[in-house]
Each structure stands twice: as structure tokens, then as C-alpha cells.
């Protein structure tokens, strides 16, 4: 069958447009080549073999879209944020997860001092108990952010290095590993550097598998919190009552507990906390509504090492409390 000139022209233009739409592979990027040579010198990788892997990846526009702050950021709103994680589906899922993993959760509590409900709630907030671990190829996501996102290139270049070391240590093809758009992996969504530093083989099979082993995920969350200063048996947060608006400097003191409860009481901030306790004043703001205030202890601060947001830490804490209540 003969094609008309018009059909041939259309086919050529279509092919050109498809070629133009596909970005070049990272193997052609001078920064990637330099990175591969550094990995060879520092860690004994074969640079050419690494570049073969990078030849199968290219800049991911979706990753760059998701990582960038919104052009018109919304106001912080606890009222809008809270229902994403404090809902019946996550609470019921947390109860089932605890029931299904009761023994390993108890072992993690005994070893690391972290209550079962906190470990369950973190996994619930992160991936809804392993249901949503991410569908991005981690190698491509991290390369995109390391080489095409200058704002945080140094951080993601380090995570890319850690990821390749992690894949080699676990005898895994780096192209096969899936995760979040930012490169977080598995049931608890550890970044590669955190996985290498804090993750544990909790099921005794001689490897760390955060994507397929709930035991490893549970143990690794417990160890992460313990290594960041979790205080076994100590409180996390208590509600506070205020007379009027707090002094700005109390909020600006930050999320680390540096304020004395007694000093706050003298400024009209009351709670069930002891006067000599060190706390942070946490403001959970919602536009158009009265701000909710809490006092956060050291354990609240430790939860923010997982995600540096008071909204995140409070969601974990309140989800944990709801799950614990239903387990009674």
C-alpha cells in the first residue's frame, strides 16, 4: 500500500513530535557522568555499568511538578489537614494492622520503648498500612531531583548515592525499586539514607526489606524513633488552655521543648502538665476558626524528625490515641 505525500509528512511530523517530547536519558548528562565517576572512585562501582542504568532513565516532569511549592500556597489549616489521617478508614485499618502484627509490635516496644500505637499510626499516616507505597521508579525520581532540581540538588544527590549503595547491599536492581516521587521507599517510607542508618532486619531473614516485610517496617520505625531520642513511658502532648492570644515569642521558640510549663502558666497558658516540664507551644491554626493549642513534649519533637511538621506529628499522635482506644 502506498502512502500519500500528506500521510508521509504527517507520520514524519508525529515521529518528530514524539522524539521531541521524550527527554534525553541521564546517561548523556555531564553531571550524571561526573556522579558515576565519583561513585566508582569512592565506592568501587563500575561507572560504565551505572551509566547503563542511567541510560534507562530520564528527567521525570511529574516528579518536578510534585516537588515544587505551589505558586499560590494555601494557608495552613489544621481543620483541612486533620481529616486526611483522622478518619474511620485509617483508624479501623490501624486496629487490624495491630491485631495482625501484635507480636512484632510488642517486640519493638520492648526493644525500643516506642508504644505499639505510635508505630502503627506512623505506618498508617505514611502508606495506609502498606497500601500506598508509591509507583515511581526511585532511581529516576532521585536522579531527576539530583540533576534537574537545583534548589535541593545536594540533598537528593546524597540520597541518590545512598540509594545505589542500598541497592548493592541488598543485591537489588536499582531500576526495579519503586517508591514515592521524592524517593521514599516501602511500608514506612524511609529515604535511602535513613534506611541505611536506621532500618533493621527484624524478621531474621538476613536482609532489610521495607517493601515486603511488615516485621522489618515495624522494627525500623521503632529504631528510628529510639535513635532520635524517644523517651519510653513519657508523654507526647497535652491540650493547653489560653487566656487570649499567646506572646509571639512563645510560638517562635519553635517545636523543640525549651519552655517551662510554670512560666507558661504565669502567662495565662494552663494545662495538665507539671510546672517543671519542658514543652513547646504548638499552634494548630485554621483560618476563620479559633486556634487549637497544645504543649508538645520531647516525644512530640521526636515524631517531627520523621516529618518536620507539627500538623504531621499531631496527626500521628491523635491517630495513635484513637487506635489505642479501639484496641481496649
Amino acid at each position: 500500500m502506498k502512502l500519500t505525500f500528506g500521510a508521509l509528512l504527517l507520520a514524519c511530523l508525529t515521529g518528530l513530535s514524539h522524539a521531541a517530547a521524550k527527554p534525553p536519558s541521564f546517561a548523556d548528562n555531564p553531571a550524571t557522568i561526573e556522579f558515576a565517576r565519583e561513585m566508582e572512585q569512592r565506592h568501587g562501582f563500575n561507572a560504565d555499568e551505572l551509566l547503563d542504568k542511567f541510560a534507562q532513565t530520564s528527567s521525570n516532569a511529574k516528579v518536578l511538578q510534585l516537588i515544587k511549592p505551589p505558586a499560590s500556597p494555601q494557608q495552613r489549616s489544621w481543620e483541612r489537614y486533620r481529616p486526611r489521617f483522622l478518619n474511620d478508614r485509617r483508624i479501623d485499618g490501624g486496629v487490624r494492622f495491630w491485631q495482625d502484627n501484635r507480636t512484632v509490635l510488642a517486640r519493638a516496644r520492648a526493644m525500643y520503648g516506642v508504644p505499639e500505637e505510635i508505630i502503627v499510626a506512623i505506618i498508617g499516616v505514611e502508606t495506609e498500612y502498606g497500601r500506598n507505597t508509591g509507583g515511581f521508579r526511585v532511581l529516576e525520581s532521585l536522579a531527576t531531583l539530583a540533576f534537574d532540581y537545583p534548589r535541593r540538588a545536594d540533598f537528593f544527590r546524597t540520597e541518590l548515592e545512598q540509594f545505589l549503595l542500598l541497592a548493592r547491599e541488598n543485591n537489588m536492581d536499582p531500576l526495579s525499586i519503586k517508591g514515592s516521587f521524592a524517593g521514599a521507599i516501602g511500608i514506612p517510607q524511609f529515604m535511602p539514607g535513613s534506611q541505611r542508618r536506621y532500618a533493621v532486619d527484624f524478621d531474621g531473614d538476613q536482609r532489610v526489606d521495607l517493601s515486603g516485610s511488615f516485621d522489618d517496617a515495624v522494627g525500623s520505625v521503632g529504631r528510628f524513633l529510639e535513635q532520635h531520642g524517644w523517651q519510653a513511658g513519657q508523654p507526647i502532648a497535652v491540650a493547653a488552655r489560653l487566656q487570649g492570644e499567646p506572646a509571639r515569642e512563645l510560638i517562635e521558640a519553635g517545636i523543640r521543648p525549651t519552655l517551662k510549663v510554670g512560666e507558661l502558666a504565669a502567662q495565662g497558658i494552663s494545662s495538665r502538665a507539671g510546672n517543671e516540664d519542658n514543652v513547646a507551644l504548638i499552634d494548630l491554626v485554621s483560618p476563620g476558626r479559633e486556634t487549637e493549642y497544645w504543649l508538645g513534649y520531647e516525644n512530640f519533637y521526636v515524631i517531627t524528625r520523621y516529618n518536620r511538621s507539627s500538623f504531621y506529628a499531631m496527626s500521628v499522635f491523635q491517630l495513635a490515641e484513637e487506635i489505642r482506644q479501639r484496641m481496649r
Side-chain angles (χ1 to χ4, degrees):
M1 181 175 111
K2 291 185 179 180
L3 294 175
T4 65
F5 176 75
L8 284 169
L9 180 61
L10 178 61
C12 289
L13 290 174
T14 301
L16 286 172
S17 68
H18 285 168
K22 183 174 174 57
S25 80
F26 279 115
D28 300 322
N29 186 327
T32 310
I33 296 169
E34 178 189 3
F35 174 82
R37 301 299 178 210
E38 288 178 2
M39 293 294 288
E40 183 174 71
Q41 293 168 7
R42 294 176 61 186
H43 302 295
F45 282 87
N46 183 303
D48 291 334
E49 290 179 2
L50 280 183
L51 289 172
D52 285 343
K53 300 292 185 186
F54 284 118
Q56 300 174 64
T57 66
S58 56
S59 190
N60 189 313
K62 183 67 172 177
V63 167
L64 292 173
Q65 176 189 346
L66 289 169
I67 198 71
K68 289 180 181 176
S72 302
Q74 291 182 314
Q75 285 182 288
R76 291 173 71 236
S77 172
W78 174 239
E79 182 185 34
R80 188 170 58 243
Y81 185 95
R82 185 180 186 276
R84 292 165 54 190
F85 306 109
L86 270 293
N87 54 57
D88 285 338
R89 191 177 71 185
R90 286 194 202 251
I91 295 166
D92 292 341
V95 170
R96 287 193 300 273
F97 185 87
W98 192 338
Q99 291 170 337
D100 292 344
N101 297 278
R102 189 185 295 271
T103 301
V104 71
L105 284 161
R107 184 156 61 92
R109 173 175 48 78
M111 187 171 293
Y112 302 116
V114 182
E116 290 94 330
E117 64 267 22
I118 293 296
I119 296 175
V120 172
I122 283 179
I123 292 173
V125 168
E126 290 293 334
T127 62
E128 202 170 338
Y129 314 106
R131 290 179 59 188
N132 306 311
T133 58
F136 291 86
R137 290 198 300 175
V138 172
L139 180 65
E140 184 164 270
S141 293
L142 290 175
T144 297
L145 297 169
F147 303 127
D148 286 345
Y149 189 57
R151 181 177 177 180
R152 299 192 66 194
D154 289 346
F155 170 78
F156 284 109
R157 189 179 172 112
T158 298
E159 289 298 331
L160 178 59
E161 176 184 9
Q162 294 294 310
F163 172 69
L164 290 168
L165 289 167
L166 178 68
R168 183 173 70 178
E169 289 163 358
N170 289 277
N171 196 29
M172 298 177 71
D173 179 0
L175 288 167
S176 71
I177 303 172
K178 299 286 185 70
S180 77
F181 72 88
I185 300 168
I187 297 159
Q189 292 289 277
F190 274 26
M191 291 298 289
S194 289
Q195 181 164 338
R196 292 191 72 233
R197 284 191 293 274
Y198 305 114
V200 291
D201 169 21
F202 219 55
D203 59 13
D205 68 352
Q206 308 305 311
R207 70 190 187 104
V208 176
D209 178 12
L210 296 189
S211 296
S213 170
F214 285 117
D215 286 16
D216 287 359
V218 165
S220 296
V221 172
R223 183 169 187 266
F224 178 95
L225 296 175
E226 184 259 347
Q227 289 287 299
H228 282 82
W230 186 269
Q231 298 178 350
Q234 297 303 304
I236 298 171
V238 296
R241 296 178 299 280
L242 274 68
Q243 299 172 7
E245 292 290 318
R248 221 37 248 167
E249 59 265 23
L250 298 179
I251 300 297
E252 291 170 357
I255 205 165
R256 186 140 214 173
T258 59
L259 307 170
K260 289 290 186 189
V261 171
E263 296 169 357
L264 294 176
Q267 299 191 48
I269 301 172
S270 59
S271 70
R272 293 184 290 104
N275 280 350
E276 295 305 310
D277 291 349
N278 286 330
V279 294
L281 182 60
I282 309 300
D283 61 331
L284 304 177
V285 300
S286 296
R289 296 208 174 240
E290 189 174 341
T291 298
E292 190 176 321
Y293 291 98
W294 289 72
L295 302 185
Y297 291 89
E298 185 68 22
N299 283 342
F300 187 86
Y301 174 76
V302 170
I303 296 172
T304 68
R305 300 308 86 194
Y306 212 103
N307 181 313
R308 302 191 178 203
S309 159
S310 58
F311 281 11
Y312 174 90
M314 187 57 69
S315 292
V316 167
F317 171 58
Q318 293 190 2
L319 178 59
E321 289 295 290
E322 290 286 347
I323 293 168
R324 183 174 62 83
Q325 290 291 334
R326 294 208 190 171
M327 281 294 291
R328 285 185 172 179

